[in-house]
Amino acid sequence: MLTWLTAGAPAGASADAVKKKGVSAWNFTRVTQAMADAKVSWFYTWSSDRQQIRPPAGVEFVPMIWGAASVTDAQLNTAKQGGKTLLGFNEPDLPGQADMSAGQALDLWPRLQSTGMRLGAPAVASGGDLAGGWLDQFMKGAADRHYKVDFIPLHWYGSDFRADAATAQLRSYLQATYERYKKPIWLTEYALIDFSSGTPRYPTPQQQAAFVTKSAAMLQGLPFIERYAWFTLSADRGGTGLYNGATPNQVGAAYRAAG
């Protein structure tokens, strides 16, 4: 999203399972310390570069080609030098975000493929499981053109602030999208925010933290979920951030404990 806002691993979980947990981040004071404290294994910045973030040792950076204007030799080369996996366009189904048709994205896709990186589909804001939706159009076009799409990034924001219900709703969406495309899923933005009134409404910290615990345990246990990332690391914008500087808030403490 990146606009104006814009639990624990199961007993015996493998090292690979624990590596699922990541975070979206922009640069802020003590970002490195916050990232280390959160115990994440990967991060992204909505950009082809790290945005001057110096990650802790062992924390992987995953670049993104945000939109049509980002499809340049310079940004593609930066992405290729910065990581092994590439995230596709950011919320192309929304005005104010990448805002492009599936056809436009498909026409640009060979440029992203040219990096040779593992490649995630454009991350739609919603409707990833819908027949005829933006993602469905893109995936059908990619198949017709024999384009490379290795996994499906998704975004999800829940308006039901009950942890059990929200976790079940999220699981249903992820499962339905996986069943449609049969490709691994990355949940690259998620949190509880109700956008229905036009003005974002947030749960209490206690509600958000309870959802973190429930949802992370669910995500760790789903075999088709390769990675997930909370929106977002810093609490300096919007109402879902995890850290004030290097200090976790209640939601951040829950996310730190989640893997």
Side-chain angles (χ1 to χ4, degrees):
M1 185 166 290
L2 193 58
T3 58
W4 57 272
L5 289 175
T6 27
S14 69
D16 287 342
V18 174
K19 290 178 181 177
K20 288 183 179 186
K21 187 176 78 169
V23 72
S24 58
W26 49 75
N27 201 353
F28 60 92
T29 301
R30 304 197 72 191
V31 61
T32 305
Q33 293 91 329
M35 203 173 285
D37 188 72
K39 296 179 169 57
V40 296
S41 64
W42 71 281
F43 77 105
Y44 74 99
T45 62
W46 295 274
S47 179
S48 60
D49 64 39
R50 293 177 174 82
Q51 298 292 293
Q52 299 182 317
I53 291 173
R54 295 186 177 183
V59 176
E60 177 189 359
F61 170 65
V62 178
M64 173 188 285
I65 298 298
W66 189 89
S70 307
V71 185
T72 64
D73 289 344
Q75 290 213 36
L76 291 167
N77 287 336
T78 296
K80 189 173 181 178
Q81 292 167 11
K84 297 179 180 179
T85 302
L86 183 62
L87 296 171
F89 307 122
N90 185 75
E91 297 186 342
D93 52 328
L94 284 189
Q97 298 297 317
D99 191 16
M100 56 206 306
S101 69
Q104 289 172 313
L106 287 163
D107 288 344
L108 292 167
W109 206 246
R111 298 288 305 282
L112 277 66
Q113 285 189 169
S114 71
T115 62
M117 301 166 73
R118 188 160 188 256
L119 187 54
V124 293
S126 62
D129 58 334
L130 297 179
W134 195 103
L135 182 59
D136 198 46
Q137 294 175 46
F138 177 86
M139 292 300 290
K140 286 179 178 176
D144 289 344
R145 301 186 193 195
H146 305 288
Y147 287 169
K148 173 187 173 73
V149 179
D150 295 306
F151 62 94
I152 307 291
L154 293 174
H155 295 174
W156 186 88
Y157 291 94
S159 58
D160 188 330
F161 295 164
R162 297 170 299 167
D164 287 340
T167 299
Q169 291 159 18
L170 172 57
R171 178 172 183 153
S172 178
Y173 180 54
L174 297 171
Q175 186 76 48
T177 305
Y178 174 72
E179 292 299 333
R180 177 165 291 279
Y181 306 112
K182 296 294 186 181
K183 290 185 180 288
I185 303 290
W186 287 31
L187 181 61
T188 51
E189 286 188 24
Y190 88 108
L192 295 182
I193 311 175
D194 180 5
F195 292 103
S196 62
S197 68
T199 300
R201 182 176 69 90
Y202 299 96
T204 65
Q206 292 83 359
Q207 289 172 319
Q208 194 81 270
F211 173 65
V212 163
T213 301
K214 292 280 187 181
S215 62
M218 178 269 291
L219 292 164
Q220 291 283 170
L222 286 179
F224 60 84
I225 299 295
E226 283 193 345
R227 299 194 185 190
Y228 62 91
W230 186 261
F231 182 85
T232 184
L233 185 61
S234 175
D236 64 2
R237 283 181 258 178
T240 65
L242 304 174
Y243 280 75
N244 295 288
T247 303
N249 56 29
Q250 184 172 354
V251 184
Y255 201 63
R256 177 178 59 190

